[in-house]
């Protein structure tokens, strides 16, 4: 399989399928505001996820459940203004698609029309089949999400690895093929055994994006705050920190406080 890297001026859902076909791994990161999205997009990240993880890292909630559709649209709109290259995918939040396919379509349309996003993401398999079908029939690209689905955390009762048992692994495989058959352009696989990720990825023509799913996924996604070391208390096995911004930012702010208190800031050169 070729690993030659094609230069993409703009990433589309077709670009991601082509990347999988060509053996090129897909990079995906979250962003929730203009300034961070500008940096992420400038670094040539392929996909920016406006995740409902904003509920955790931006608003301080324990779970992703409290964030509203209006709040997701606000974050997505901020991100879209910053992006020139990346494909922007937006999570449809809890309670906005699960029970009523018509409501799911209304939620997806609002996200697309009001934010200018490029696609939406939903958690689940056969349980949300009708919602996925209705959104796709409206011409809106859909990314799936299987394995650990944080919107169902109270059903699971834990954030532990999913699909370790054969029955759940078999259902995940069936759901993945269902989502592909319905027309999803990709699937996030969260916190499942690496061997299962390999099996699923090799059986699909659409790309898989792993988070805690091992190296066999067609791409990887992390929460930007975790990657940069801003969420210092979060230490899952799958997370690689590329910076320690919690300490670095704290040191910088402490230095600023010291300089203000000592009258060192502002200096003569820093005033008009």
């Amino acid at each position: 399989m070729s690993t030659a890297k094609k230069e993409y001026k703009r990433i589309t859902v077709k670009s991601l399928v082509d990347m999988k076909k060509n053996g090129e791994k897909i990079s995906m990161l979250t962003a929730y505001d203009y300034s961070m999205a500008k940096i992420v997009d400038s670094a040539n990240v392929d996909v920016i996820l406006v995740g409902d993880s904003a509920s955790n890292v931006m608003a301080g909630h324990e779970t992703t459940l409290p964030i509203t559709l209006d709040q997701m649209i606000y974050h997505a709109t901020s991100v879209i203004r910053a992006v020139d290259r990346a494909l922007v995918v937006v999570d449809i939040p809890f309670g906005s698609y699960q029970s009523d396919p018509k409501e799911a379509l209304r939620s997806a349309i609002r996200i697309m029309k009001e934010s200018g996003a490029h696609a939406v993401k939903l958690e689940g398999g056969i349980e949300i089949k009708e919602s996925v079908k209705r959104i796709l029939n409206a011409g809106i690209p859909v990314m799936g999400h299987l394995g650990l689905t944080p919107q169902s955390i109270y059903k699971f009762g834990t954030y532990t690895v999913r699909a370790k048992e054969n029955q759940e692994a078999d259902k995940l495989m069936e759901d993945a093929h269902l989502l592909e058959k319905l027309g999803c352009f990709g699937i996030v696989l969260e916190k499942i055994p690496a061997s299962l990720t390999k099996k699923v990825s090799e059986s699909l023509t659409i790309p898989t994006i792993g988070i805690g799913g091992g190296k066999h996924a067609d791409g990887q996604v992390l929460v930007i705050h975790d990657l940069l070391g801003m969420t210092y208390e979060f230490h899952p096995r799958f997370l690689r920190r590329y910076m320690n911004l919690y300490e670095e930012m704290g040191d910088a702010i402490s230095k600023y406080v010291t300089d203000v208190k000592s009258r060192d800031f502002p200096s003569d050169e820093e005033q008009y």
Side-chain angles (χ1 to χ4, degrees), residues 113-185:
K113 285 179 68 71
E114 295 178 35
S115 75
H118 308 135
V120 296
K121 181 167 76 66
L122 293 75
E123 295 182 5
I126 194 170
E127 305 85 359
I128 60 163
K129 175 183 175 181
E130 296 305 317
S131 293
V132 171
K133 283 175 61 175
R134 195 170 286 258
I135 294 170
L136 285 167
N137 286 341
I140 298 172
V142 174
M143 175 174 271
H145 185 144
L146 299 172
L148 176 64
T149 47
Q151 291 180 8
S152 303
I153 185 56
Y154 289 125
K155 173 184 174 183
F156 294 144
T158 175
Y159 286 102
T160 191
V161 176
R162 305 303 311 174
K164 290 190 291 185
E165 303 299 328
N166 289 339
Q167 184 176 355
E168 188 176 353
D170 290 344
K171 182 183 184 304
L172 188 146
M173 177 67 80
E174 292 172 3
D175 283 340
H177 282 274
L178 172 65
L179 293 174
E180 179 180 54
K181 184 177 180 181
L182 290 173
C184 292
F185 68 88

Side-chain angles (χ1 to χ4, degrees), residues 67-97:
I67 199 163
T68 66
L69 183 60
D70 285 339
Q71 290 168 333
M72 288 301 302
I73 291 171
Y74 165 78
H75 287 295
T77 303
S78 302
V79 167
I80 279 289
R81 293 192 190 105
V83 172
D84 293 318
R85 178 182 179 274
L87 181 79
V88 178
V89 180
V90 181
D91 275 335
I92 303 184
F94 175 76
S96 302
Y97 66 91

Side-chain angles (χ1 to χ4, degrees), residues 8-13 15-16 19 45-47 85-87:
Y8 294 93
K9 291 185 178 179
R10 188 86 198 208
I11 303 297
T12 66
V13 294
S15 306
L16 302 183
M19 286 179 181
V45 167
D46 298 315
V47 185
R85 178 182 179 274
L87 181 79

Side-chain angles (χ1 to χ4, degrees), residues 96-115:
S96 302
Y97 66 91
Q98 286 93 341
S99 61
D100 182 357
K102 291 181 180 179
E103 182 182 17
L105 178 58
R106 286 192 294 268
S107 300
I109 288 174
R110 280 199 62 199
I111 288 172
M112 300 295 284
K113 285 179 68 71
E114 295 178 35
S115 75

Side-chain angles (χ1 to χ4, degrees), residues 224-239:
I224 188 69
H225 291 66
D226 299 338
L227 178 148
L228 295 176
M230 299 172 74
T231 49
Y232 72 103
E233 293 178 327
F234 187 55
H235 301 288
R237 180 190 298 186
F238 65 80
L239 174 59

